[in-house]
Amino acid sequence: MTLRAHRDPDWAADVARWGLGRMPLREQSMWALWIYRYGRRVDAAPPGFAQGLHRRLHLLLHTVVETLTGISLPKQTRIGPGLRIWHFGGIFVNPGTVIGAGCTLRQGVTLGNRVDGGPCPVLEDGVELGAYAQVLGGVRLGAGCKVGAMSVVLQDVPPGATAVGNPARILHRGEALRARNDACPGAGPVGVDAGQEQNKHPAPQEQEPGSVTL
């Protein structure tokens, strides 16, 4: 696998979601994401002297960018293409976390375990987390679901649902619509009826090794 960013399809998808062409140097969140993708490419490169040098360089750059931006994206984390990070600062992702394609994080988000060495969250494709949301333990966030700002998620969230509060609860369709309208007047409906959705969707399946897009 090449170490060049322009040949990395996951990085290309990240830049495409930014929507402004080439990565702007002023966007600190993209610094952290670039370093993460670089680390993954280094680990996938053939073993040898060159790989060893790149690993040392990655460690140095990761430490510097993590300190400057307050974004911790360990290369052990599995992140699908098209991640979007709005703003920066106070974002911590446990190495055991899995993030699907097209997800969105905001400042202050934490994705981690509840006990040392315990399981970490799995985010399916298109999950969106509000500012300072916390997702802890071996929970699964279904595709397209939304987590409100400052919420603490300790249980699974069905696909397409909206979760808010501490601890987070799943909003019914009417509640989600009212919450969306309060935050963004004129916006379309969001959320689902949690009770119906939980019955419609099967229990989470075990993740296959090496898979990221869920």
Side-chain angles (χ1 to χ4, degrees):
M1 181 177 182
T2 180
L3 292 174
R4 296 181 179 180
H6 69 276
R7 295 184 180 178
D8 184 342
D10 289 350
W11 170 247
D14 300 333
V15 175
R17 277 208 72 200
W18 169 250
L20 295 176
R22 298 179 61 184
M23 182 191 79
L25 294 178
R26 59 183 171 79
E27 179 60 18
Q28 294 93 332
S29 64
M30 295 294 279
W31 303 353
L33 193 49
W34 187 92
I35 295 301
Y36 165 79
R37 299 294 186 198
Y38 170 55
R40 297 288 288 186
R41 294 194 298 273
V42 169
D43 281 353
F49 180 74
Q51 186 193 48
L53 287 180
H54 280 286
R55 280 182 168 166
R56 289 179 176 84
L57 177 58
H58 169 265
L59 179 60
L60 174 62
L61 293 175
H62 173 79
T63 302
V64 171
V65 170
E66 183 180 60
T67 302
L68 291 175
T69 66
I71 300 175
S72 180
L73 294 178
K75 64 179 180 178
Q76 295 85 358
T77 305
R78 286 186 288 164
I79 301 176
L83 178 66
R84 182 68 170 96
I85 301 176
W86 289 99
H87 314 299
F88 68 99
I91 298 174
F92 296 95
V93 179
N94 187 286
T97 300
V98 177
I99 300 176
C103 290
T104 302
L105 310 181
R106 291 178 173 81
Q107 72 271 21
V109 164
T110 297
L111 303 173
N113 51 30
R114 299 180 66 179
V115 296
D116 188 28
C120 294
V122 173
L123 280 61
E124 296 184 0
D125 296 348
V127 171
E128 184 171 341
L129 303 183
Y132 299 98
Q134 317 289 300
V135 184
L136 306 175
V139 300
R140 190 179 192 92
L141 305 189
C145 75
K146 302 180 187 300
V147 176
M150 303 185 72
S151 298
V152 179
V153 180
L154 303 176
Q155 62 176 330
D156 292 352
V157 179
T162 298
V164 299
N166 180 9
R169 65 186 182 90
I170 311 302
L171 295 184
H172 293 278
R173 184 177 181 84
E175 294 175 306
L177 177 58
R178 286 193 296 273
R180 175 67 179 269
N181 288 340
D182 289 343
C184 304
V190 298
V192 296
D193 185 289
Q196 294 179 359
E197 284 299 307
Q198 286 173 334
N199 292 330
K200 288 165 57 179
H201 292 276
Q205 301 296 314
E206 290 293 328
Q207 176 131 358
E208 297 181 2
S211 174
V212 174
T213 302
L214 305 168

